[in-house]
Amino acid sequence: MKGLVFDIKRFAVHDGPGIRTTIFLKGCPLNCWWCHNPESQDVKSEMDVKQILLDGYSYEKSEEIGKLITVNEVMEMVEKDAVFFEESGGGVTLSGGEPLMQKDFAIEILRACKAKGFHTSLDTCGYVNSEVIKNAALFTDLFLYDLKHPDPIEHFKFTNAKLDLILKNLQILLGMNKQVVIRIPVIPGINDQAEQFQKFIEIIKSIDGVQEVHFLPYHALANGKYSRLLKENKLAGLKTLDKKELFPAKKLFEENGFTVKIGG
Ligand code: SF4
């Protein structure tokens, strides 16, 4: 079975416990205004053309984003790092995009990893068919689960997706006793107000079983990618959010019993 992969990152330390190999699958059903991987959104390969300056001359360097590879090829790469997984308590993370957009490929990788005894994490936006996420959960140890906005109308405006399916799937996973870390991308002017953090807490507490929350502060590093891919950047000009600005929100979540990390 083949799937479209746009990156494989070895020795990752922010995508779950220990040292990990993170596989980035192409395709996403959302269209978040702040997306830091705009090259991940389409389920087709595309070209990224960079201008390189060398000895005073400007060159174009083209790179294909997204390559079709088989599950066996993924596993050959992953297995090279088995010793690091064992030493560090790490494993394999599927990310994207939304990995479950290529559901059969993603679940087959998870299944193959579990057959090898590797810890598996799935970084998901949760906006997928509930049967699909249940099947993925059979081979997933940890979900890194995005919550992007606590208000359903604003959520739709900024992501083009309905919040209710995401909350329903979260409830399903917790009902299956899966380990879930909530990840909140914090975007200035969009979801960074005290009352919005309070609302996030109410939502998370209403679905029993989450202990850990990660804040992902907005960064502007993807700006260049938007212009090269000729995609509209709705947040062009927005500055990277300083971690320190999230200390009050961190305290608020901690007072409500959550373990909080700033960063992935
Ligand atoms: S869910 Fe993630 S990959 Fe998809 S559009 Fe939003 S930020 Fe980008």
Side-chain angles (χ1 to χ4, degrees), residues 132-260:
V132 170
I133 209 160
K134 275 191 220 167
N135 287 339
L138 300 176
F139 310 102
T140 303
D141 296 306
L142 168 68
F143 283 85
L144 304 171
Y145 202 95
D146 294 357
L147 280 188
K148 298 173 190 290
H149 205 292
D151 177 79
I153 295 171
E154 296 283 288
H155 188 282
F156 189 79
K157 174 181 169 187
F158 291 117
T159 68
N160 206 30
K162 290 186 177 169
L163 180 58
D164 54 359
L165 176 61
I166 293 167
L167 296 181
K168 177 184 166 197
N169 285 338
L170 176 58
Q171 201 148 23
I172 287 171
L173 294 178
L174 292 168
M176 293 171 79
N177 289 322
K178 300 310 295 187
Q179 191 191 355
V180 177
V181 170
I182 296 291
R183 305 225 278 192
I184 301 176
V186 184
I187 318 299
I190 290 181
N191 65 356
D192 65 337
Q193 298 303 301
E195 58 271 24
Q196 291 167 321
F197 287 121
Q198 188 59 52
K199 190 78 184 132
F200 271 125
I201 289 171
E202 284 165 25
I203 290 174
I204 299 168
K205 277 186 151 178
S206 73
I207 307 171
D208 202 23
V210 174
Q211 273 140 24
E212 192 167 338
V213 176
H214 294 177
F215 294 142
L216 308 178
Y218 173 77
H219 64 71
L221 297 174
N223 281 354
K225 293 187 199 173
Y226 277 93
S227 40
R228 292 201 305 274
L229 295 167
L230 305 176
K231 292 194 173 176
E232 184 190 6
N233 182 359
K234 292 187 174 143
L235 299 184
L238 187 64
K239 293 207 171 69
T240 293
L241 181 63
D242 192 322
K243 278 184 181 184
K244 284 195 259 177
E245 297 193 37
L246 291 174
F247 289 170
K250 180 173 186 281
K251 187 159 172 277
L252 182 67
F253 273 71
E254 285 168 346
E255 284 167 356
N256 278 275
F258 296 107
T259 300
V260 180

Side-chain angles (χ1 to χ4, degrees), residues 64-81:
E64 189 180 18
I65 305 168
K67 288 195 169 51
L68 271 177
I69 58 174
T70 65
V71 173
N72 284 345
E73 285 169 321
V74 171
M75 292 309 295
E76 274 170 28
M77 278 182 259
V78 161
E79 282 171 43
K80 287 182 196 159
D81 295 332

Side-chain angles (χ1 to χ4, degrees), residues 28 30-32 34-36 40-41 96-97 125 146 148:
C28 186
L30 270 58
N31 189 5
C32 307
W34 51 86
C35 184
H36 57 289
S40 73
Q41 291 175 353
C125 69
D146 294 357
K148 298 173 190 290

